[in-house]
Amino acid sequence: MFKPAPPAAPLPSSRIPGVLHAIGLVLLYFLLQVGAGVLMGLAVGVLEKIRHPQSSFADVHKHVMNVLRQTDSSTMLMVVALPLIALLLFWLVRRQWPQLWLQAEPPGFGFNAPYSSRWYIAALLVGVVMPPFGALLTQLLAHGHDVTQNVQELTQHSSRNLRLPLGIVAVTIGPMVEELMFRGVLLSALMQRMSVAPSVAICAVLFGLVHLAGLDFQWYALPNLMLFAVALCWLRLKAGSLWPSILAHGLYNLFALVALLAVK
């Protein structure tokens, strides 16, 4: 029977992420996405002004907003910007806490092999079961209201050429960076200051709240997201690795994308 490796020697508190530091990284991740959209708008505005120097500010602003509303432009922004943002955050975390990268138990981030390969099977089950269960729960709470997502517009109305790269980013890059932020840095920081249950609860609540904007602030989507976050925390802690939760998160996103495309 497999026996987990003995716990590593305690690290100085200065070499462990603080809760505020971890929350700051999570906010940075989402602010960088907003910033990418702002930069795109500025670039479009500058190009419009160069091409039509006689245009008024109102005309330039109208043109910029029209471009940003185009689904293909938004999709391309996500496909290009998200991998760059992920690389930046991976570099920041690895540079700040290199000794925690391959450590299985918190405060480690779990980029090591799981204790057993059976946790990949558990991840597959979580990734397959949670999408239909979560959709049913959300619909019951919504009481007949439409549940929309920003990604729904991207997938259903973007050109076919952009759907594949969008799907690849949503199923691979997105889960990796979000698992690092939430089940890696944030959960580890919380567990150094409180017990497992409240740490998982706070991590799950924050995971749900930061995704509300992408769901047009529809509160009835929160229980699904928080339950899924709890399942991901369970995988991370029981497997002693972040990879099973990354796999489950990627499968969840894959099923969500397939469901959205099937609606069209």
Side-chain angles (χ1 to χ4, degrees):
M1 184 175 179
F2 181 85
K3 294 183 179 180
L11 292 168
S13 59
S14 60
R15 297 175 65 187
I16 297 173
V19 174
L20 292 180
H21 200 161
I23 293 175
L25 282 172
V26 171
L27 292 176
L28 177 62
Y29 169 58
F30 289 96
L31 288 175
L32 285 173
Q33 295 180 60
V34 174
V38 172
L39 288 176
M40 179 181 176
L42 290 174
V44 171
V46 170
L47 290 174
E48 175 67 9
K49 196 64 178 176
I50 292 174
R51 291 169 57 190
H52 305 286
Q54 72 280 4
S55 299
S56 65
F57 174 80
D59 291 335
V60 172
H61 180 264
K62 183 178 179 181
H63 178 75
V64 170
M65 295 308 296
N66 286 336
V67 170
L68 292 179
R69 288 192 189 102
Q70 295 175 8
T71 307
D72 277 355
S73 299
S74 300
T75 304
M76 183 60 72
L77 177 65
M78 181 176 178
V79 169
V80 174
L82 191 58
L84 295 177
I85 293 170
L87 283 174
L88 173 62
L89 291 174
F90 270 70
W91 176 78
L92 285 174
V93 173
R94 184 68 184 267
R95 182 175 180 271
Q96 183 73 22
W97 302 288
Q99 74 282 359
L100 300 179
W101 196 259
L102 296 176
Q103 187 172 315
E105 297 294 329
F109 301 150
F111 276 99
N112 51 280
Y115 293 145
S116 170
S117 59
R118 65 189 174 92
W119 289 109
Y120 288 122
I121 299 174
L124 289 172
L125 291 174
V126 170
V128 170
V129 171
M130 283 302 299
F133 174 79
L136 177 61
L137 175 62
T138 302
Q139 290 296 333
L140 288 174
L141 294 173
H143 296 295
H145 292 92
D146 290 334
V147 181
T148 59
Q149 302 181 48
N150 290 347
V151 71
Q152 185 171 355
E153 294 296 320
L154 293 178
T155 54
Q156 290 186 345
H157 302 293
S158 59
S159 64
R160 292 185 178 275
N161 292 335
L162 290 177
R163 287 182 183 177
L164 178 59
L166 173 63
I168 292 173
V169 168
V171 172
T172 58
I173 305 297
M176 286 185 68
V177 68
E178 290 192 11
E179 289 309 300
L180 171 64
M181 294 294 103
F182 286 97
R183 261 62 62 179
V185 180
L186 178 59
L187 184 60
S188 292
L190 290 168
M191 287 183 62
Q192 299 311 300
R193 291 151 183 86
M194 58 189 74
S195 60
V196 174
S199 298
V200 169
I202 292 172
C203 186
V205 170
L206 289 177
F207 181 79
L209 290 176
V210 298
H211 285 87
L212 265 184
L215 293 162
D216 292 331
F217 296 95
Q218 298 165 113
W219 69 267
Y220 32 80
L222 274 178
N224 168 34
L225 289 172
M226 291 189 292
L227 283 175
F228 182 52
V230 170
L232 294 174
C233 289
W234 174 77
L235 282 172
R236 159 68 185 103
L237 296 175
K238 290 295 185 178
S241 171
L242 204 60
W243 290 112
S245 62
I246 291 173
L247 174 59
H249 198 154
L251 280 173
Y252 184 93
N253 287 0
L254 176 62
F255 275 89
L257 286 171
V258 170
L260 289 175
L261 291 173
V263 171
K264 185 175 179 181

